[in-house]
Amino acid sequence: MTLTIGTATAKRGEIVYGEYLLVQHPVGGADSLPVIIAQGKEDGPVFWITAGIHGIEHAGIQVIHKLITPELVKQIRGTIVAIPTLNPAGLRTLERQAYYHNGDPNRLFPDGRTPKFDPDKTPPSALEQAYARLFEEIKRSASFYFDLHCMGGNALSFIFRDRLLYRKGDEAARKRAEVVSAQMDEMARAYGHTMSADFAVNKYIDEKLNRATTASVSMLAGIPALTAELSISYTPAPEVVYAAMAGLRNVMRWGGMLDGDMEPITGIKVVDPGYATRRRSVARVTQACMVHHLKEPGDLVQVGDPLVEMRDAWGRVLGVLTSEYDGFVISRPAGILFYPGEATVLLAIRDDEPLVGEYPETYFD
Ligand SMILES: [Zn+2]
């Protein structure tokens, strides 16, 4: 299989390394993405794995470094294309964002809309244009795709499963979305970590989450794609790194790239409440306070269960916030200080929204 990404060209039975030009600097030099192509001796699917689009999320980088070994290449059919860091500027400066694009870099993949020229608006940034090129590389070559992230301190290791949207009346697009959605569920089950859908459809569009890497690839290219959140940012937890490597090898088994039994996922909490879930930020404090969490990531909760205590600076209890939902705790924001209205817990709550649905009526206007 001939496959070239940037300066890396696949070779049967080998791991090749190269670079993909991302952004040229005004002062000379450029940011390039490190590219790894690992190809087995036999034909098979092309599995894209990327990480590090947020510069503080480092676990996925280590997962790619450790996953791709000469031993693995001897065993696989098909090809792994891996990019350990999609945002070299953010990684270098230890920021979520790249300093040459003001905004979340994981909201820059194509959205399917026709660009409109507006002389009063800045055109797409160099980074947005670079990601549009990279999207085309993924679309051209990928059979399935994982993008690796971190959620933050003490969060579960889990999958965010995107919703798939199609244009009203486009029956072929609806059918394709149903097929891709079913493949994404299978892939998430093979990965074996906790799974939750992202926000409900309207919030999803508000947050531009349809322009996240995996959402854009699954919706616009029809390639099954999942976002894996690997617990803590910055210095990774080794047990999460190893559990993600086992999960990705299981995805290769699901995809027919690797033989052998599915590996058990060990060393991390895996939660299955027995019903579909989506994320919601909850337990919003009613006054300025410090909180003491009463539930940990992975804990199942029911309506009425106490989630956090609000205390003043001296430690006197101001009140207790209880859960309005059944679900489980995904993560807690960093720190214990909160201003009124801020959420103190990220919960996975029961999901009654469709996983495949229509774009909002005015989306393409
Ligand atoms: Zn991220």
Side-chain angles (χ1 to χ4, degrees):
M1 281 177 290
T2 325
L3 178 60
T4 298
I5 308 293
T7 64
T9 296
K11 284 202 189 104
R12 275 184 194 274
E14 287 186 33
I15 306 174
V16 295
Y17 303 91
E19 288 187 321
Y20 184 84
L21 177 66
L22 192 72
V23 168
Q24 203 82 48
H25 294 313
V27 293
D31 273 348
S32 293
L33 304 179
V35 178
I36 307 160
I37 306 182
Q39 190 165 71
K41 286 227 163 75
E42 286 178 57
D43 286 349
V46 177
F47 186 12
W48 271 73
I49 308 171
T50 59
I53 200 165
H54 295 126
I56 63 171
E57 301 173 5
H58 302 167
I61 301 172
Q62 288 194 341
V63 169
I64 290 174
H65 287 174
K66 283 184 150 68
L67 177 71
I68 299 171
T69 60
E71 293 69 42
L72 181 72
V73 177
K74 277 184 203 145
Q75 297 167 39
I76 60 169
R77 280 179 291 276
T79 309
I80 302 168
V81 178
I83 297 179
T85 168
L86 287 175
N87 175 9
L91 182 60
R92 201 163 57 233
T93 55
L94 284 184
E95 300 283 348
R96 263 175 76 83
Q97 300 186 181
Y99 57 84
Y100 40 69
H101 178 91
N102 185 21
D104 190 329
N106 198 27
R107 306 289 184 271
L108 295 180
F109 266 44
D111 60 7
R113 292 197 249 203
T114 312
K116 283 182 199 141
F117 175 70
D118 179 347
D120 293 318
K121 276 206 179 122
T122 312
S125 68
L127 187 62
E128 183 169 350
Q129 292 181 44
Y131 286 160
R133 282 189 283 121
L134 187 66
F135 169 86
E136 292 301 326
E137 302 279 3
I138 298 173
K139 183 179 173 183
R140 176 171 68 81
S141 58
S143 313
F144 36 95
Y145 171 39
F146 258 68
D147 190 29
L148 310 178
H149 289 251
C150 297
M151 192 75 200
N154 206 22
L156 288 176
S157 175
F158 69 103
I159 290 288
F160 260 143
R161 189 215 178 282
D162 291 300
R163 292 178 201 277
L164 295 174
L165 305 177
Y166 62 92
R167 274 175 192 246
K168 190 176 183 173
D170 187 343
E171 195 50 24
R174 188 190 64 77
K175 278 189 185 147
R176 185 179 80 170
E178 297 281 2
V179 170
V180 173
S181 175
Q183 288 173 323
M184 280 162 52
D185 278 344
E186 287 175 20
M187 226 161 63
R189 273 196 295 276
Y191 183 68
H193 297 218
T194 305
M195 167 173 38
S196 177
D198 217 309
F199 294 116
V201 169
N202 286 338
K203 171 84 172 159
Y204 198 71
I205 299 284
D206 278 357
E207 297 282 335
K208 294 194 170 71
L209 277 161
N210 58 313
R211 302 197 61 187
T213 51
T214 53
S216 177
V217 167
S218 57
M219 259 183 257
L220 301 181
I223 294 164
L226 293 171
T227 291
E229 299 281 351
L230 304 177
S231 190
I232 194 165
S233 296
Y234 300 106
T235 315
E239 63 273 19
V240 173
V241 171
Y242 286 108
M245 289 161 58
L248 291 172
R249 285 191 296 263
N250 285 344
V251 172
M252 291 180 214
R253 292 184 179 96
W254 165 82
M257 295 177 75
L258 195 58
D259 293 331
D261 294 336
M262 291 284 181
E263 292 170 58
I265 299 303
T266 57
I268 60 164
K269 280 188 203 171
V270 178
V271 188
D272 180 4
Y275 48 83
T277 58
R278 70 166 184 262
R279 71 154 129 171
R280 176 159 287 172
S281 295
V282 302
R284 295 182 182 278
V285 299
T286 52
Q287 52 194 303
C289 63
M290 297 190 192
V291 303
H292 291 221
H293 284 93
L294 303 172
K295 295 283 182 189
E296 293 295 310
D299 284 350
L300 289 164
V301 300
Q302 291 186 316
V303 173
D305 283 353
L307 290 180
V308 292
E309 277 177 354
M310 299 184 290
R311 296 197 187 207
D312 68 15
W314 293 264
R316 291 171 292 202
V317 177
L318 303 169
V320 172
L321 299 170
T322 58
S323 185
E324 295 171 69
Y325 307 95
D326 292 343
F328 61 87
V329 178
I330 294 175
S331 69
R332 305 169 303 180
I336 63 169
L337 271 69
F338 292 90
Y339 285 91
E342 290 178 339
T344 59
V345 175
L346 184 66
L347 211 57
I349 65 167
R350 200 180 286 271
D351 187 26
D352 39 23
E353 292 254 342
L355 289 169
V356 172
E358 291 170 5
Y359 281 102
E361 203 75 52
T362 57
Y363 185 74
F364 291 100
D365 290 353

